[in-house]
Structures are given as structure tokens and as C-alpha cells.
Amino acid sequence: MAWCFLTLGIALGSFWAYYELGWGGWWFWDPVENASFMPWLIATALVHSLSVAEKRGTFRSWTVLLAIVGFSLSLLGTFLVRSGVLTSVHAFATDPARGVFILAFLAIVVGGSLLLFAWRAPAIGNGPGFAAVSRESLLLANNVLLSVAMAAVLLGTLYPLVLDTLGMGKISVGPPYFDAVFYPLMAPALFLMGIGPLARWKKAELPDLVARLRWAFAVSVIAALLLPLAVDGFRPMTSLGLMFALWIATCVVVAVRDMLRGADGRLSLRRIGVHPASAWGMHFAHLGVAVFVAGVTLVTSYESGRELRMEVGQRIELGGYDIRFVGLAPITGPNYDGTRGIFEIRRAGAGDAAPIAMLSPEKRVYRASGMPMTEASIDRSLIRDVYLSMGEPLGDRAWVVRAHVKPFVNWIWLGCVLMAIGGFVAAADRRYRRRAVERAAQALPGGQAA
């Protein structure tokens, strides 16, 4: 449940930045963004490690360590956001006294937990062994990749702060570092995500996996190569991202087909109730990852954007759309004054046909603080956003305007919602409720439920 709400929280923060900040981005590797993302990576590893501990009694020490690291990172995120050590639009407060308290609490929790772990880990044990090709080994590989990715994000987030604290100068670690380090680690993790749910526990036969997944792999590769060619030519990185998204989705289809197939080889929806909710939730969450990866790939590859000076009456063409600056209007809100721009959006080449949308971005100045704020205006659809925001005035009838056309950007947040729904479905598994009832019964006198 904690993982589900953290997933939704990160998605909401990303959507807020996209809508409110006016620059049209959905993720910038901001230190405060990273402060929430690092616990999410470890929590994702922990969820998978717990499934192995539940099914096979393996990874018990590793699972405990992941739980310790995950909670410690959540405290670290609280320290970064609320202590004032960071300057960020996402930071909540600048209270050094509170930061010292959180840092002391973090040291006690991390130090005490690790000491207890070192003392008791030998007694926990690691459970039975498993073959090199098995569901356990694939989940372990994914756990390691997620943990290394977290460490890379942690290094990029804290390194500038450490240097500044030691008086060794100020540096900035931005998207080039994170993109270069994070994506290569996630590529094999995405590939293994498709195979893991189809592998057998303890020992899997590689020829059997190849036979079950050969068509999924072929469809993923061929479709990923042809789709960019159909748009504007071959793009290696676009094809790679689409291949991973399609690979996960087709593997989910194969797994669901196997779950619905009976002993006679026929598919039946009646078998939905045969399998636990945790299995369906897993596949739903993995499908959300596929949608997310597809959204990130397509918006990164095909988005169009310009920041330019526009006068009232001027028209530009961007990403297959005609954008016309119609006029300006003063606005007065309950606690702000500002200016609203009025823009017409048409399909490129449509001439003076009726606009498909009217957008009204605003530039506000709040009276109490004098702080200017940008309010973007977006024409949304499932396959693209037309995004407009206003910068600074350049005279009576001219403004700096940021215009973007972002294909499939909403798939990013749709994927996150699907992941969270999958987590909620898995958490609703009746096995967990039954165990809770059994524990409550054992706690009563005589071990009997009332």
C-alpha cells in the first residue's frame, strides 16, 4: 500500500510540475524529485523480494535489508525537503533546526537498524537454493539493478551537497549524468521484467522459456522497428524504447493467456477466480510500466517545442498544428493580477477553418509577495498535448511564448496510475486478509477468535 501511494504521489508531483511551472517538462532529476524516487526504487525491489520470501522462503536477509534501506531513504528525503539544504520549487521549508532533528533521527534509525541487522542476520538465514535460471534468479537480478540505479541517483543527488559542505566548490549534477547512468541500468531490468513472471520457481528450463516467448520477442522487435519508420524514419533509441514497452506488454499477454488456459487447452474467463489477486495485480502493474515506457519514449522522440517572441496576430506552425496569437486580456483574481493570452489552435494547413481549441495561458503576479507565476494552458488528448505558456512581456502587444506539442505525454501518468491500481489489486488478495485474521485470533486468550 505504501508503494502504491508513493507511486501516485510521484506521478502527481510530476503532473504538477508539468502544469504549473510553465516549462513543459515532466521530470528534471531535481534533488527533491530524486528524494521521492530513491525510496520508490528500493520499495519496488522490496515488493518483489517479499514475493520470493513468501513463496520460497528465500531472500529473507536481503528483504529485511531492503526494508531498512527503504525507510532510511524516506527519512533522507524528509531531511532534504524540509531542512533547507536544497533550493527547489518542490522544497517545503527552510528550517535548519528541524533539519538537525531529522538528521539526528535518521542517524539513530539507520545506525540502530543496521546494527540490529548485523547482529541478527545470521539467525534469519537465506532459505533454500535455486538454479541459475529460475524466477528467483531473475528477481534477484532485477533487485540488484534497481538497487544499483538507486545508488547512482543517490550519488548524483548528494555529491554536490557534500562538496559544498566541505567547501570544495559548487557543482551541478543534472539530467546528462542521470540519463547516462540510469537508462542503461533500466534496460536489462525491463527485459527481465517480461521473463520473470513466466519462469518457474526453483528451476526454469531455458528452451521452454524461449519457446513460450519467441513470438512475443519477434512481435516486439518487428513492431518497434516498423513504427518509427512509418512516422519519419528509423530512430535507434526510439525503436529500443518501444521494443521494451512492447516486450513487457506482449509478455503480459502470454502470461494472462496461460493463466486462462485450462487443462484441456481452452481459454476460459471462469479461470480468473482460480488465480490469486496478487497475480493479476502484478500483471496489471507490469502493463502500467509498459504504458509508461511507451509514453516516455514517444514524447522524448517526437515532441516539438519553441520559445519565441510573438505579437498579437502572429501565427506559427509547430508539430502539425497552426497556433495564432489572437489577443490579450487583463485579469484580476482574488489575490493576484495578471494578463491572459488568447490563442487559436488549428490543424496545419486548415487555413481559416474553425479552431479545434482555444487556449488561454496566464501570467499572474500575486499581490502579497509580488511573485510572478505562469499558468499554462493545455489542449489535452490521449495521444498528444498542445501546451502554451507565457513568459515576459516585450512591449505592449508582444510576449515571450513557449509552445510545445507533446505526443503521448499523458501515457506517462496513465502508466503510473495503472501501476498503482495493480498494487492495490495485489494488496487486496484474500490471502493477506486471512493471515491478518489468523494473527488476530492467535493473539486472543486461548488462540480462538471471538
Side-chain angles (χ1 to χ4, degrees):
M1 294 294 288
W3 179 89
C4 294
F5 283 109
L6 181 56
T7 302
L8 291 175
I10 293 173
L12 285 171
S14 170
F15 183 79
W16 174 86
Y18 174 72
Y19 182 75
E20 288 292 340
L21 299 186
W23 60 282
W26 55 272
W27 192 262
F28 196 65
W29 296 107
D30 181 278
V32 178
E33 292 174 333
N34 296 345
S36 65
F37 189 48
M38 290 184 291
W40 186 89
L41 289 170
I42 292 298
T44 304
L46 174 60
V47 168
H48 291 82
S49 183
L50 279 168
S51 70
V52 183
E54 176 194 13
K55 296 285 187 180
R56 295 274 298 136
T58 310
F59 297 177
R60 287 180 292 189
S61 295
W62 173 247
T63 300
V64 173
L65 182 60
L66 286 176
I68 293 171
V69 173
F71 183 64
S72 301
L73 287 171
S74 71
L75 291 178
L76 176 64
T78 305
F79 169 74
L80 293 175
V81 170
R82 294 185 173 274
S83 65
V85 299
L86 293 176
T87 301
S88 169
V89 294
H90 300 283
F92 284 41
T94 55
D95 187 349
R98 180 186 299 161
V100 171
F101 172 79
I102 297 172
L103 190 61
F105 185 54
L106 175 63
I108 293 170
V109 168
V110 175
S113 300
L114 291 178
L115 284 173
L116 283 171
F117 178 77
W119 177 37
R120 296 292 296 164
I124 297 174
N126 278 318
F130 49 88
V133 180
S134 62
R135 186 178 295 193
E136 293 96 323
S137 64
L138 295 173
L139 288 172
L140 178 61
N142 252 11
N143 269 220
V144 171
L145 289 168
L146 288 168
S147 300
V148 173
M150 182 281 299
V153 175
L154 180 66
L155 176 64
T157 304
L158 296 186
Y159 187 64
L161 298 178
V162 172
L163 285 186
D164 189 23
T165 303
L166 297 177
M168 300 174 65
K170 293 181 180 291
I171 66 168
S172 176
V173 178
Y177 162 79
F178 292 105
D179 292 347
V181 173
F182 186 77
Y183 292 146
L185 290 170
M186 286 298 100
L190 294 174
F191 183 75
L192 294 176
M193 186 185 299
I195 305 173
L198 292 162
R200 296 184 183 277
W201 294 106
K202 194 173 182 180
K203 184 178 181 180
E205 298 296 335
L206 193 57
D208 176 60
L209 284 174
V210 172
R212 295 170 68 189
L213 293 174
R214 64 181 185 274
W215 290 111
F217 183 75
V219 168
S220 304
V221 172
I222 294 171
L225 291 173
L226 292 180
L227 286 173
L229 286 173
V231 177
D232 66 351
F234 179 64
R235 298 189 181 202
M237 299 310 295
T238 304
S239 291
L240 185 63
L242 288 176
M243 188 201 74
F244 286 127
L246 292 167
W247 166 249
I248 296 171
T250 51
C251 287
V252 168
V253 171
V254 171
V256 171
R257 181 198 63 188
D258 291 347
M259 292 169 69
L260 296 179
R261 178 176 289 161
D264 58 358
R266 296 181 180 179
L267 299 179
S268 174
L269 293 178
R270 294 178 180 177
R271 292 186 56 80
I272 290 177
V274 174
H275 300 280
S278 58
W280 295 111
M282 171 189 67
H283 293 308
F284 213 84
H286 285 186
L287 187 62
V289 174
V291 172
F292 174 84
V293 172
V296 171
T297 300
L298 292 171
V299 72
T300 303
S301 300
Y302 295 111
E303 66 178 334
S304 305
R306 292 179 65 184
E307 181 175 337
L308 72 161
R309 179 183 188 273
M310 287 190 73
E311 297 182 357
V312 174
Q314 185 176 345
R315 181 184 307 220
I316 64 168
E317 187 173 321
L318 181 70
Y321 292 90
D322 185 89
I323 302 171
R324 181 169 178 264
F325 194 176
V326 177
L328 296 164
I331 56 173
T332 300
N335 60 344
Y336 65 85
D337 301 302
T339 302
R340 175 182 295 145
I342 304 169
F343 294 80
E344 294 177 344
I345 311 298
R346 294 179 175 85
R347 297 280 183 187
D352 291 326
I356 61 173
M358 298 290 295
L359 297 184
S360 302
E362 299 176 359
K363 191 70 173 183
R364 300 174 178 177
V365 178
Y366 286 84
R367 302 186 191 107
S369 63
M371 179 181 293
M373 291 291 291
T374 297
E375 195 76 11
S377 184
I378 308 171
D379 179 40
R380 302 185 186 282
S381 78
L382 191 60
I383 61 172
R384 62 98 183 103
D385 276 4
V386 179
Y387 180 107
L388 293 179
S389 63
M390 297 174 63
E392 301 302 321
L394 300 174
D396 292 337
R397 296 171 60 82
W399 282 73
V400 174
V401 175
R402 300 180 186 91
H404 302 270
V405 177
K406 294 181 170 289
F408 297 95
V409 67
N410 291 303
W411 284 34
I412 294 172
W413 302 296
L414 174 62
C416 293
V417 172
L418 292 177
M419 286 185 238
I421 291 174
F424 286 125
V425 171
D429 194 310
R430 60 177 178 268
R431 292 177 300 163
Y432 305 135
R433 296 197 301 274
R434 186 167 62 245
R435 287 174 189 166
V437 171
E438 291 172 353
R439 285 195 297 268
Q442 292 170 0
L444 292 175
Q448 298 295 322

